[in-house]
Amino acid sequence: MQLLDGKYTAEQIKAEIAEEVVRIKARGGKIPHLAAVLVGNDGASETYVAAKVTDCKQVGFDSTLIRLPADISEETLLGHIDQLNRNPDIDGFIVQVPLPEHIDETRVTLAIAPEKDVDGFAPASVGRMCLGLPTFISATPNGVMELLRRYNIETSGKHCVVVGRSNIVGTPMSILMSRNSNPGNATVTLVHSRTPNMVEICQSADILIVAIGKPDFITADMVKQGAVVVDVGITRVNDSSRASGFRLVGDVHFESVKEKCSFITPVPGGVGPMTRASLLQNTLKAQTLRPQI
Ligand code: GUN
């Protein structure tokens, strides 16, 4: 078994982006600028957004964090989005989700200009991805594709099983893996909570991509010998033996599955760092390729 080391790969990607920023500066170009909108103060969202700002600093991007109160009206939030759409200094921006319940997330994503939608969550971006047109692919599926690409994992003609059908991971993952591209060209089966024979389908996977949000859901008996296993899940599980009081657990039971597979992503240190690196890649793309999107 070999680890698909997302932490190491993400550091490589960040070093490549930092070199590109040096080149942009040297030719007097515009430094990529990412803005993040954080509504309210959900603990996990605070952590994610802080990490995104740190990543920008690390590669030499400009970043702006816009903090808004939890009770902000939808109209006022849409006003902020409109300003970001019009601000020529902002190359791309994200609105961290989840949003407070009184705000319609779809309305918010619809308001983001497609050429600045570095999260790739907006309907126009998802539609363009489905059609194989230039666009932003959301960070987690893009990070998984990049990891498979950099480890030269053969996907063409393989059976890829995606577990989970969320809008931001499972669904786009299934589309990307079936596309005529490399990685891609796989025969894809998407399984979900209503799939009666999920175990047998998983057992037939050459590539198993799991994004279901249930700790240790995939056990060794569900995995074919030699399969490539990508674990997108990351759940905090209480653990009194840790100073933090919790540990991070993936959707795959790593200890048993690692004995059976050819490649596997660890949690943490697998898909998570790749997601963060992908947002930086998208922001660089927003600055350099805007006219094409
Ligand atoms: N919440 C959890 N992950 C993400 C993400 O990648 N983007 C945004 N905007 N919100 C999130």
Side-chain angles (χ1 to χ4, degrees):
M1 177 280 292
Q2 196 186 332
L3 277 186
L4 293 169
D5 189 339
K7 190 161 180 244
Y8 171 79
T9 310
E11 287 304 323
Q12 274 188 325
I13 293 170
K14 285 196 274 185
E16 290 161 15
I17 294 174
E19 281 171 21
E20 185 56 29
V21 173
V22 169
R23 281 193 287 272
I24 292 172
K25 267 190 189 151
R27 62 171 184 260
K30 183 186 174 301
I31 301 300
H33 188 167
L34 174 73
V37 179
L38 178 60
V39 182
N41 32 30
D42 172 74
S45 292
E46 293 262 4
T47 311
Y48 289 141
V49 168
K52 288 168 187 177
V53 171
T54 307
D55 289 339
C56 283
K57 284 210 178 81
Q58 194 185 339
V59 299
F61 286 0
D62 291 330
S63 63
T64 299
L65 172 57
I66 299 166
R67 284 179 165 278
L68 300 171
D71 62 355
I72 191 169
S73 71
E74 193 171 288
E75 291 314 311
T76 311
L77 174 60
L78 292 173
H80 283 277
I81 291 172
D82 187 47
Q83 279 179 17
L84 289 165
N85 284 339
R86 291 167 191 269
N87 183 343
D89 193 49
I90 302 290
D91 297 296
F93 66 96
I94 64 147
V95 180
Q96 190 68 22
V97 293
L99 289 165
E101 283 202 348
H102 66 279
I103 293 174
D104 178 350
E105 229 164 80
T106 304
R107 238 188 125 196
V108 169
T109 53
L110 273 167
I112 299 172
E115 69 274 16
K116 295 195 178 188
D117 177 32
V118 286
D119 251 338
F121 288 177
S125 305
V126 178
R128 291 178 70 92
M129 177 202 64
C130 289
L131 296 172
L133 298 172
T135 189
F136 299 108
I137 294 166
S138 63
T140 300
N142 201 40
V144 171
M145 297 299 275
E146 190 73 29
L147 198 56
L148 297 174
R149 185 179 301 120
R150 287 183 182 238
Y151 276 86
N152 289 314
I153 303 290
E154 181 62 77
T155 60
S156 179
K158 303 291 183 189
H159 183 207
C160 173
V161 175
V162 178
V163 185
R165 57 180 161 185
S166 71
N167 286 345
I168 62 176
V169 186
T171 297
M173 210 62 257
S174 68
I175 291 161
L176 293 171
M177 288 299 285
S178 65
R179 256 183 9 188
N180 184 0
S181 60
N182 181 29
N185 282 320
T187 305
V188 178
T189 308
L190 191 151
V191 299
H192 48 75
S193 53
R194 303 289 174 91
T195 305
N197 53 340
M198 189 189 286
V199 173
E200 295 92 271
I201 295 174
C202 289
Q203 284 166 342
S204 74
D206 302 306
I207 301 164
L208 186 60
I209 302 177
V210 193
I212 199 170
K214 293 186 179 162
D216 292 334
F217 181 79
I218 299 289
T219 45
D221 60 300
M222 298 169 81
V223 177
K224 179 160 109 176
Q225 194 74 39
V228 174
V229 179
V230 176
D231 187 354
V232 181
I234 186 154
T235 306
R236 282 183 179 196
V237 171
N238 291 337
D239 184 344
S240 55
S241 71
R242 305 272 175 117
S244 62
F246 69 86
R247 68 195 150 89
L248 298 171
V249 180
D251 289 351
V252 176
H253 186 260
F254 185 86
E255 283 308 314
S256 61
V257 171
K258 75 173 188 203
E259 306 298 338
K260 247 181 146 178
C261 58
S262 56
F263 289 89
I264 186 167
T265 55
V267 176
V271 174
M274 292 301 295
T275 298
R276 286 169 60 177
S278 278
L279 181 64
L280 297 174
Q281 286 180 310
N282 276 351
T283 305
L284 181 63
K285 191 165 151 184
Q287 197 278 322
T288 55
L289 296 179
R290 184 174 309 164
Q292 292 180 29
I293 293 168

